[in-house]
Amino acid sequence: MSAYIPAAQESEIPDPGTLLVEVAERLIVLIHAAGHFYALDDVCTHDGGPLSDGPVAAEQGTLACPRHGAQFDLKTGAAKTMPATKATTCHEVKLENGTLFVRLNAE
Amino acid sequence: MTSTLTRTTTGFTQEAFDDFLATRNEPAWLTELRRNDWAHFLEYPMPSSRDEEWARTDIRPLKLNQFSLPMAPHSETYLSGAESGIDGKGTDVSGSPCLPQTVLAQGVDLGGRTSSLDGYPCASELSKQWAEQGVLFGSLDALVTEHGQRLRPYLERPVVDPTYDKFAALASACWCGGTLLYVPKGVRVEQPFHALSAMSAGPDAKGTDAKGTDAKGTDARGTDANGIDLSRTLVILEEGAEATLLSETASTRETGAGLHCGSTELLIGKGAMLRYVNLQNWNMDAWHFAHQRAVVRQQGTLQWTIGALGSRLAKVNQRVALIEPDAEAQVNGVMFTQGRQHLCYNTHQHHQAPSCHSDLLYKTALQDHSRTVWRGMIQVDPPAQRTNAYQRNDNLMLSRTARSDSIPGLEIEADDVRCTHGSTSGRVDNSQVFYAMSRGYTRQEAIRMIVAGFFQQVFDRISIESVRNALGTAIGQRVREL
Amino acid sequence: MATDLTTDSTDRLLDGSDEINKYNFVTKTKGVFRARKGLDADIVTQISEMKDEPGWMRDYRLDALKIFESKPMPQWGGNIGINFQDIYYYLKPTEGQGRTWDDVPDEIKETFDKLGIPEAERKYLAGVKAQFESEVVYGSLEEDLSKQGVIFTDTDTAVREHSDLLREYFGQIISSSDNKFAALNSAVWSGGSFIYVPPGVKIEFPLQAYFRINAEQMGQFERTLIIVDEGAEVHYVEGCTAPMYSSESLHSAVVEIIVKKNARCRYTTIQNWANNIYNLVTKRAMAYENALMEWIDGNLGSGLTMKYPAVYMMEPGARGEILSIAFASQGQHQDAGAKVVHCAPHTKSRIISKSISKNGGRSSYRGLCKVEDGAVGSKSSVVCDALILDDKSRSDTYPYIEVEEQDVQVEHEASVSRIGEEQLFYLMSRGLTEAEASSMIVSGFIEPLIKELPMEYAIEMNRLIELQMEGSVG
């Protein structure tokens, strides 16, 4: 149902690093890690707060919540460590001519 | 009515504020108050998830610069028809074809009515009978010019703290299109008053990204501006007075952005009695920020009913202060959410004096991906002995993807008290659905009945029939098949 | 770099408070090593070296220290006025572990006598783990338990002797980044219990440990890890007392528990730290399929307690039960509570909280009940009752209820009241003084806790409540 929507320029996100963007009125955190781009809902499933200020661990492929340290898998959104136990929503990203496009997960 | 002006400034800038002041024909003391609060507005940061109060309500998608201060009323042509009289037969009381249908006053014999669109008054009427007894009712904008000296103390010492946060400061600095009800000592008004705050809707943003402006929708003014409503409600009941005010908000279209930032202040004098109904029924693209506070004096009584149906995101602080002995407040909340709505209602029952009674019941039904946050507090100060306080929040989960946060709270500093709170969350009982279906009802009818049953407890407390009916109908229309 | 330490401040015992604390005493301690005051990477490295720890634990501590330094102080709960640089983080009191009761130094035995370790417990001596200052000084595990494969040791020993098992779970339930005080504990932890109960083993009697803070301004940072394997059962009892000191002291523990399929774990705490101690503790259990985790948490002492034992129900049929009792008197703020998180279908939880505020004390219940998306058929009930005994005291209730699922049944109720006059008059008409009558009513109020305690603790608790209630009515 949803299309790829332009969200950011590749050059805006250092590796490793994150960028908070708004895609169709949803807040999405774009992650650049080990040469790849990922997109997750900017929501920690533990306390519902934002993830976008958290540190990226490129080797483990995770983004950690800045408040209580719950780690989320960049590829799937899965919760890897306590205190989170549920995945955060993960979205598809593609890079074309320096522009990052996000396709929102329907859920 | 004056003619339409073209707005030249957008956003909430100093320049826009100066332009806004220039459009107001107000006494100097009021301008001074506004300037003072405007300074606070500029100075205060936007609330963020780091603030405990906002941790569950993410307003980062709100871009204030997409909205503008109300600069000019709508044209007379546009509003033609708005002046028709109270017909007493309970048809559309707004009287204007371009204003949204109102729902609270259906079939009600009104004592007066007032309406505004985007913060500018459309029509105000007060029945002669009450005017003769000294009742003031209508647009706060107009009445403050006429009765400035009488209203000045209330505006200079507001019961909603304008320094509470950025939104409180904005509401206090830029209020526009408010409602005033003033009932003098001993006057008992049996007929309810009705107030409508209407807001136009910006271009339909659906199907575009956040920057998209390609939608063709035109708003009520024929411009592409987003809606704005900065209305302020002030109700003053002097000693022994009685009144009922039915107040509702609505958008001119079902989609399109709007911003409400306002305040409501209810002053209930000694032995006075107010019934106040406040239905928030904006469209699903509107932002709603409201600070509301009632102050009840000795033996005063307040029945306050909140209906929360609309808005994309709402953040409401509803506070009741019982400041003299034997004051009483009943608070009723009816919430129904759907889509991706996020409604956050913070309630506060503040017992400052002995022997007061407060009783709060919030009932919420949640559908789709919606989310509600109800946070309630009963605060009992040391002098408030013999307090009797109650709060309860029940949540009916109509979908697997909805989320409700319920945070009741007690802070008690007196020992001779009875304070209780309760909260429940649950789903529609399937056995009830099957039973109803076995009796020939469709599944949707069955669910509607069960949802109606869920709200019955709070409807039973609402003593105004038209309000019960309006809320019941609105909720019934929203319930989908599960 | 070992320093001789002699502390003798018996004469300062009763300073600063007219509150009755029956554990007001100090025992001379001969420390063999005390790290200097303050907290930095050197201290943390030194602690790790003194303990002869493997490199991974040292790195874990240093990483936690960085997290601690970067985290803000909590902006909720009580007022925490701690100067982290004015605290000793490590003290090693004697050389090595006491192997038998005879090996335990007389001074420490004396402390136990004053503590009144129940006779019943001496009989068992199954697992007295007494943490005097930071290290476990005495431990003996009954042979049959050992034969069944039960491990009950101090966590320092476990790091050396059971490192694979420990490392699998250590910090997995409560990570260093969970909160500021979990980070602090992770950096400087010392002592605590490590328990492993193999599949199907049911330990009939409670395993017990006592903790003490003794040296002035001595932080205590025990670290406990309990693993209850499939179908196993254990009851662990932790009692805390501390001598009174005039300057503030800090206790910040981390307790992690895993309760596997069909297993049961009960963890009982009677917390009676002195009134000048900050008791800031993180306790969390994960319960798997059809497992039961119970926290019984009694908070009587400390100046400020912030402690919210949690149960995460991870798999279908898991259950969590928490009983929390708080008693706050003059100069005390008990910010206690409980958390239950339903992560799987058909999980069940129950929280009962009872709190009493008197003589200017403040007790707060702060809790969470969360039902996550997918936890269909979950049920939770939370009931909080508070008693306020006079008009100087305060009671707060802050329950957080978060429901992300439709098919659930979540109920919360709370009430605050005072002792009913009719009740009081009735008892007084039967010849009791007002104080006696109040004391009896309070005892009845906390009855749900008392009846869950081993008998010798129940007797102690009742005596404690009587002492607390003396002179409170007048």
Side-chain angles (χ1 to χ4, degrees):
Chain A
M1 75 167 229
S2 62
Y4 277 102
I5 299 168
Q9 292 304 304
E10 180 190 13
S11 54
E12 290 177 85
I13 320 175
D15 185 355
T18 61
L19 180 70
L20 179 67
V21 294
E22 216 176 302
V23 180
E25 303 197 336
R26 280 175 78 171
L27 290 163
I28 305 292
V29 55
L30 294 174
I31 304 110
H32 194 179
H36 292 90
F37 289 94
Y38 309 90
L40 300 175
D41 261 11
D42 189 28
V43 174
C44 172
T45 56
H46 164 238
D47 70 354
L51 278 175
S52 47
D53 295 336
V56 179
E59 323 83 80
Q60 286 97 352
T62 57
L63 173 65
C65 170
R67 289 173 302 285
H68 308 95
Q71 291 169 24
F72 294 91
D73 190 293
L74 294 176
K75 288 197 187 96
T76 63
K80 304 268 274 199
T81 65
M82 289 287 278
T85 61
K86 283 284 175 296
T88 196
T89 308
C90 159
H91 308 279
E92 286 177 56
V93 194
K94 71 174 180 185
L95 176 64
E96 267 179 20
N97 302 324
T99 300
L100 289 162
F101 294 81
V102 172
R103 178 153 77 182
L104 292 181
N105 190 321
E107 183 52 16
Chain B
M1 293 279 165
T2 57
S3 62
T4 307
L5 299 171
T6 315
R7 283 182 288 184
T8 51
T9 42
T10 59
F12 295 84
T13 60
Q14 183 64 46
E15 192 194 356
F17 180 67
D18 291 338
D19 287 354
F20 168 77
L21 286 183
T23 68
R24 316 284 307 175
N25 181 24
E26 287 172 344
W29 59 265
L30 182 51
T31 306
E32 193 51 38
L33 286 175
R34 288 185 184 275
R35 285 194 188 280
N36 200 24
D37 293 326
W38 176 258
H40 289 134
F41 167 72
L42 291 181
E43 171 198 339
Y44 295 162
M46 202 67 168
S48 84
S49 62
R50 286 184 189 83
D51 310 317
E52 169 72 8
E53 195 182 320
W54 293 85
R56 290 152 200 274
T57 301
D58 192 346
I59 53 166
R60 287 176 300 169
L62 170 66
K63 305 286 182 292
L64 273 184
N65 61 13
Q66 291 174 355
F67 300 92
S68 312
L69 285 168
M71 289 297 174
H74 294 273
S75 66
E76 268 182 77
T77 353
Y78 177 70
L79 290 166
S80 62
E83 307 295 331
S84 62
I86 300 171
D87 59 14
K89 294 192 184 73
T91 54
D92 177 12
V93 291
S94 73
S96 166
C98 53
L99 289 181
Q101 286 280 321
T102 60
V103 295
L104 287 183
Q106 298 291 324
V108 179
D109 179 20
L110 292 174
R113 65 190 177 99
T114 182
S115 58
S116 68
L117 177 60
D118 285 321
Y120 280 91
C122 298
S124 278
E125 285 168 274
L126 171 61
S127 113
K128 206 174 147 205
Q129 180 193 358
W130 305 118
E132 280 169 354
Q133 295 192 46
V135 172
L136 302 180
F137 177 71
S139 143
L140 179 62
D141 310 49
L143 291 165
V144 83
T145 331
E146 260 175 79
H147 303 275
Q149 283 316 307
R150 191 177 325 168
L151 298 178
R152 185 173 175 175
Y154 299 102
L155 296 175
E156 284 183 335
R157 286 186 297 280
V159 300
V160 164
D161 177 8
T163 64
Y164 186 87
D165 64 10
K166 197 171 184 75
F167 294 111
L170 177 63
S172 191
C174 302
W175 64 267
C176 178
T179 302
L180 171 77
L181 172 61
Y182 168 83
V183 185
K185 185 172 173 178
V187 176
R188 298 177 172 197
V189 186
E190 297 98 36
Q191 292 169 306
F193 297 98
H194 181 266
L196 167 70
S197 293
M199 179 160 74
S200 58
D204 190 344
K206 289 237 160 57
T208 68
D209 66 21
K211 292 161 196 153
T213 48
D214 56 344
K216 293 186 188 68
T218 50
D219 83 330
R221 285 155 295 180
T223 70
D224 63 353
N226 288 325
I228 183 86
D229 177 78
L230 303 174
S231 56
R232 175 174 188 169
T233 299
L234 177 57
V235 178
I236 302 154
L237 262 55
E238 288 193 344
E239 187 175 335
E242 281 186 27
T244 300
L245 175 58
L246 311 176
S247 146
E248 63 187 291
T249 75
S251 306
T252 53
R253 284 192 299 122
E254 280 183 20
T255 56
L259 169 68
H260 166 80
C261 176
S263 68
T264 297
E265 295 165 288
L266 312 175
L267 288 87
I268 294 102
K270 188 173 171 184
M273 207 265 273
L274 174 68
R275 292 190 299 180
Y276 177 63
V277 178
N278 175 216
L279 172 63
Q280 185 271 101
N281 200 14
W282 304 119
N283 72 17
M284 300 299 170
D285 292 326
W287 299 86
H288 179 76
F289 300 97
H291 285 280
Q292 311 174 329
R293 186 158 176 258
V295 174
V296 190
R297 295 197 177 272
Q298 189 162 357
Q299 292 177 320
T301 307
L302 168 68
Q303 185 195 64
W304 187 348
T305 300
I306 286 231
L309 302 174
S311 84
R312 159 196 183 150
L313 180 144
K315 169 71 170 53
V316 175
N317 288 46
Q318 185 197 18
R319 304 167 78 91
V320 175
L322 305 170
I323 64 165
E324 289 178 356
D326 300 303
E328 198 176 323
Q330 183 196 62
V331 181
N332 306 312
V334 174
M335 298 172 83
F336 190 101
T337 57
Q338 55 187 344
R340 287 194 172 271
Q341 275 186 290
H342 179 117
L343 303 191
C344 175
Y345 277 66
N346 289 3
T347 65
H348 193 254
Q349 295 153 263
H350 194 174
H351 286 253
Q352 297 174 252
S355 307
C356 294
H357 180 208
S358 70
D359 179 358
L360 177 145
L361 174 64
Y362 258 66
K363 288 259 189 188
T364 307
L366 298 93
Q367 201 163 259
D368 306 332
H369 283 82
S370 63
R371 179 172 177 191
T372 59
V373 179
W374 171 75
R375 193 180 186 122
M377 179 57 70
I378 294 175
Q379 185 180 352
V380 179
D381 291 350
Q385 296 293 5
R386 296 178 303 286
T387 284
N388 185 352
Y390 184 73
Q391 62 175 348
R392 182 175 184 91
N393 169 228
D394 295 323
N395 298 292
L396 182 63
M397 310 299 288
L398 296 174
S399 103
R400 286 200 53 188
T401 46
R403 168 172 175 163
S404 75
D405 291 3
S406 178
I407 312 167
L410 304 172
E411 287 183 347
I412 315 294
E413 293 190 79
D415 62 326
D416 186 4
V417 299
R418 229 181 65 193
C419 296
T420 309
H421 69 207
S423 165
T424 65
S425 297
R427 66 174 294 181
V428 168
D429 184 348
N430 262 330
S431 60
Q432 286 178 23
V433 177
F434 295 141
Y435 177 77
M437 287 168 73
S438 76
R439 307 294 293 239
Y441 292 99
T442 67
R443 188 174 165 79
Q444 190 175 12
E445 284 167 343
I447 290 163
R448 265 196 201 134
M449 285 192 298
I450 291 162
V451 172
F454 170 76
F455 283 108
Q456 195 56 47
Q457 189 189 0
V458 65
F459 287 165
D460 284 347
R461 293 158 52 119
I462 301 170
S463 50
I464 306 159
E465 195 188 349
S466 69
V467 174
R468 284 199 303 267
N469 293 342
L471 289 171
T473 306
I475 287 166
Q477 284 165 353
R478 282 167 160 82
V479 175
R480 274 191 286 278
E481 194 169 334
L482 295 177
Chain C
M1 153 97 219
T3 327
D4 244 21
L5 162 79
T6 310
T7 311
D8 190 352
S9 38
T10 318
D11 53 335
R12 294 161 63 188
L13 280 187
L14 296 170
D15 285 354
S17 172
D18 56 1
E19 284 295 292
I20 294 158
N21 184 323
K22 67 171 182 166
Y23 299 145
N24 279 352
F25 58 84
V26 169
T27 307
K28 284 184 186 178
T29 309
K30 288 198 167 55
V32 292
F33 168 77
R34 177 160 76 173
R36 68 178 155 82
K37 269 188 188 175
L39 184 58
D40 54 36
D42 286 346
I43 294 272
V44 170
T45 307
Q46 203 176 35
I47 292 173
S48 187
E49 277 168 7
M50 285 304 297
K51 290 169 176 291
D52 207 11
E53 286 176 349
W56 72 266
M57 184 56 84
R58 185 196 56 227
D59 295 345
Y60 185 86
R61 288 177 183 275
L62 288 168
D63 181 52
L65 177 67
K66 280 191 205 131
I67 295 168
F68 168 75
E69 285 166 346
S70 71
K71 280 205 182 283
M73 288 290 268
Q75 294 303 304
W76 46 273
N79 294 319
I80 306 171
I82 300 170
N83 177 359
F84 290 106
Q85 296 307 331
D86 201 28
I87 288 174
Y88 291 102
Y89 287 90
Y90 182 58
L91 175 71
K92 188 175 178 178
T94 62
E95 289 175 18
Q97 291 281 108
R99 288 285 157 234
T100 68
W101 185 248
D102 288 341
D103 290 340
V104 175
D106 286 346
E107 279 175 7
I108 289 170
K109 278 187 190 164
E110 203 186 309
T111 304
F112 288 154
D113 284 340
K114 288 181 190 167
L115 268 171
I117 291 180
E119 278 304 318
E121 185 182 301
R122 298 188 184 202
K123 249 182 273 158
Y124 281 124
L125 274 184
V128 176
K129 301 261 112 186
Q131 177 162 10
F132 191 78
E133 318 266 314
S134 302
E135 285 229 353
V136 171
V137 292
Y138 177 81
S140 133
L141 182 64
E142 211 170 62
E143 260 185 32
D144 62 322
L145 281 183
S146 180
K147 275 183 203 150
Q148 291 179 72
V150 175
I151 301 168
F152 180 21
T153 180
D154 65 283
T155 310
D156 294 285
T157 303
V159 169
R160 293 188 297 268
E161 294 178 9
H162 306 281
S163 68
D164 289 350
L165 184 59
L166 177 131
R167 206 175 164 179
E168 190 182 340
Y169 298 100
F170 190 93
Q172 299 298 308
I173 301 137
I174 300 166
S175 79
S176 310
S177 43
D178 196 89
N179 64 74
K180 191 172 184 73
F181 291 94
L184 178 64
N185 176 283
S186 299
V188 300
W189 73 268
S190 217
S193 299
F194 175 79
I195 299 173
Y196 171 75
V197 189
V201 174
K202 297 180 181 178
I203 303 175
E204 310 276 317
F205 45 85
L207 300 179
Q208 308 187 357
Y210 280 89
F211 299 93
R212 296 283 314 277
I213 295 178
N214 204 304
E216 191 167 0
Q217 288 179 325
M218 172 61 202
Q220 184 155 351
F221 304 95
E222 87 267 11
R223 182 91 190 195
T224 289
L225 174 58
I226 300 175
I227 303 147
V228 194
D229 217 323
E230 292 191 5
E233 286 181 18
V234 69
H235 180 189
Y236 181 76
V237 181
E238 165 202 42
C240 297
T241 59
M244 297 294 281
Y245 277 120
S246 56
S247 57
E248 286 160 347
S249 195
L250 170 63
H251 172 242
S252 187
V254 166
V255 176
E256 300 179 286
I257 299 179
I258 304 267
V259 195
K260 294 197 177 175
K261 185 176 172 182
N262 296 326
R264 283 165 167 253
C265 178
R266 171 181 279 203
Y267 191 110
T268 300
T269 306
I270 303 298
Q271 179 271 110
N272 192 28
W273 297 114
N275 284 8
N276 57 347
I277 283 176
Y278 288 100
N279 183 43
L280 312 170
V281 173
T282 310
K283 289 182 167 175
R284 187 180 296 155
M286 290 167 91
Y288 290 87
E289 192 178 336
N290 294 324
L292 170 63
M293 175 67 211
E294 296 171 279
W295 294 103
I296 293 165
D297 198 48
N299 292 294
L300 299 158
S302 86
L304 170 66
T305 284
M306 288 171 69
K307 179 167 55 155
Y308 324 97
V311 184
Y312 277 67
M313 288 153 276
M314 305 300 293
E315 288 181 354
R319 283 186 294 152
E321 300 210 353
I322 304 169
L323 179 58
S324 170
I325 307 272
F327 198 123
S329 191
Q330 186 181 10
Q332 289 187 289
H333 181 186
Q334 303 284 9
D335 202 86
K339 297 183 184 183
V340 288
V341 181
H342 294 258
C343 310
H346 306 292
T347 47
K348 260 187 175 172
S349 68
R350 189 177 62 173
I351 296 172
I352 295 172
S353 161
K354 301 257 179 188
S355 73
I356 300 154
S357 312
K358 76 169 243 289
N359 203 11
R362 175 178 177 191
S363 52
S364 309
Y365 169 82
R366 192 181 301 275
L368 170 71
C369 168
K370 182 172 180 181
V371 181
E372 294 199 332
D373 187 14
V376 292
S378 291
K379 287 185 183 174
S380 177
S381 144
V382 180
V383 179
C384 306
D385 290 322
L387 261 189
I388 305 189
L389 298 184
D390 54 59
D391 60 5
K392 291 179 289 186
S393 304
R394 169 169 176 175
S395 169
D396 312 308
T397 313
Y398 308 102
Y400 288 70
I401 301 152
E402 304 178 356
V403 178
E404 296 176 354
E405 183 51 69
Q406 176 191 6
D407 179 11
V408 297
Q409 195 181 314
V410 176
E411 289 169 358
H412 167 84
E413 266 180 72
S415 66
V416 177
S417 54
R418 68 166 180 179
I419 291 179
E421 278 178 3
E422 314 80 51
Q423 256 182 314
L424 214 51
F425 291 149
Y426 173 78
L427 289 170
M428 286 165 71
S429 75
R430 293 301 186 95
L432 297 181
T433 65
E434 192 177 345
E436 285 165 345
S438 301
S439 180
M440 185 173 281
I441 292 166
V442 169
S443 295
F445 181 74
I446 61 159
E447 173 67 19
L449 169 71
I450 305 286
K451 72 176 192 215
E452 295 300 331
L453 294 176
M455 193 169 58
E456 63 270 24
Y457 283 88
I459 293 164
E460 295 226 329
M461 266 296 282
N462 273 328
R463 277 174 51 207
L464 221 49
I465 294 292
E466 277 168 30
L467 284 169
Q468 292 265 20
M469 288 300 296
E470 259 173 34
S472 70
V473 184

